Amino acid sequence: MVTSTSPVAAFAALGDETRWAVLEALADADPAAGLTASALAARLPVTRQAIAKHLVVLEAAGLVDSRAVGRERRYRALGAELTALGRRLERIGDAWEARLGRIASIAEHLERG
Amino acid sequence: MVTSTSPVAAFAALGDETRWAVLEALADADPAAGLTASALAARLPVTRQAIAKHLVVLEAAGLVDSRAVGRERRYRALGAELTALGRRLERIGDAWEARLGRIASIAEHLERG
DNA sequence: AAGTGATGCAACCAGAGGGTTGCATATTGG
DNA sequence: CCAATATGCAACCCTCTGGTTGCATCACTT
């Protein structure tokens, strides 16, 4: 797990429609090659610079990968990180539900005396 | 599934530390009773009004539940929604990874001739 | 060597958002 | 009925952020 930053940052990163559009475009692209900021800007209705900023956020959140290839920089979507984040959320939710279950069973015991 | 709004809104809601603090406080509380905005404000270092706004966001995102009890309003954390959201994320991540796997296997086939 | 295309950095703008204070309103308890 | 407590609503402030334009830079191609 290379998940460097806090999950909260990752959720904040996922809390923006444009960023999802970027992620989906990256997921659609050839993972081996990746996509450049310019290529993404061609597909989406915002400037290259705006895309670049989103990519910074996504990379800081660990949801995206980049490598320099000559004069361009190729980005890839990291599905595994998304999966890990999802599992984390799932565990937390389950824990909360479990607590609810315990309370319910205690209440049941009390009722029965 | 009562998940009304878009998942993006839910992620945005989860992209704030204070909101996590609120959620955790709610998860710690007795689920049957819940907590009021005032009670939460007593536990956290922000105003009741700030808490109230966060609760609006969390409820709109479907992560929190509320019911009026006399003159007060009790909030509960909905762990199940969190779990569902987590599963969703997991599925998307897995799909992206699967695509990566397909590409890899195609490449392998091509190499073998 | 020169032109072209891609990136990076900086300034700037407008709107959203987290936070506060203040006040009005409603409901409970004596 | 009256006082106390909890909520709701509104205005306001400041920061963050998504977006833009403009310019400098750097690497590939011819």
Side-chain angles (χ1 to χ4, degrees):
Chain A
M1 263 153 281
V2 203
T3 315
S4 41
T5 37
S6 96
V8 178
F11 290 128
L14 292 177
D16 180 276
E17 301 278 2
T18 305
R19 232 127 49 196
W20 271 101
V22 167
L23 282 176
E24 282 163 4
L26 288 179
D28 270 349
D30 176 6
L35 283 181
T36 71
S38 302
L40 284 164
R43 284 167 177 72
L44 298 176
V46 287
T47 323
R48 172 186 62 89
Q49 285 82 344
I51 300 279
K53 286 204 227 169
H54 284 305
L55 287 171
V56 168
V57 173
L58 288 170
E59 190 161 23
L63 298 172
V64 143
D65 199 53
S66 85
R67 67 188 208 282
V69 176
R71 72 179 155 188
E72 57 188 18
R73 176 163 289 270
R74 301 256 174 76
Y75 290 87
R76 281 182 320 180
L78 299 181
E81 293 301 321
L82 214 64
T83 303
L85 197 63
R87 267 200 248 277
R88 231 164 135 167
L89 215 52
E90 219 180 314
R91 283 211 322 271
I92 298 175
D94 283 347
W96 294 358
E97 288 301 304
R99 172 172 172 81
L100 189 123
R102 277 199 307 280
I103 302 264
S105 105
I106 290 171
E108 208 173 313
H109 273 278
L110 288 180
E111 273 179 23
R112 289 193 200 157
Chain B
M1 263 152 278
V2 203
T3 316
S4 40
T5 37
S6 97
V8 179
F11 291 127
L14 293 177
D16 181 276
E17 301 279 2
T18 306
R19 231 124 52 194
W20 271 102
V22 167
L23 282 176
E24 282 163 6
L26 289 178
D28 270 349
D30 176 5
L35 284 181
T36 71
S38 301
L40 283 163
R43 284 168 176 73
L44 299 176
V46 287
T47 324
R48 173 187 60 90
Q49 285 83 343
I51 299 279
K53 286 204 227 170
H54 284 306
L55 287 171
V56 168
V57 173
L58 287 170
E59 190 160 26
L63 297 171
V64 144
D65 199 53
S66 85
R67 66 188 209 281
V69 175
R71 73 179 152 189
E72 57 188 19
R73 176 162 291 269
R74 301 256 175 74
Y75 290 86
R76 282 183 320 179
L78 300 181
E81 292 301 321
L82 213 64
T83 303
L85 198 62
R87 269 199 247 279
R88 234 166 133 164
L89 216 51
E90 218 181 315
R91 282 211 321 271
I92 297 175
D94 284 345
W96 294 359
E97 287 301 305
R99 172 174 172 80
L100 189 122
R102 277 200 306 280
I103 301 264
S105 104
I106 289 171
E108 209 172 312
H109 272 279
L110 288 179
E111 273 181 22
R112 290 193 199 160

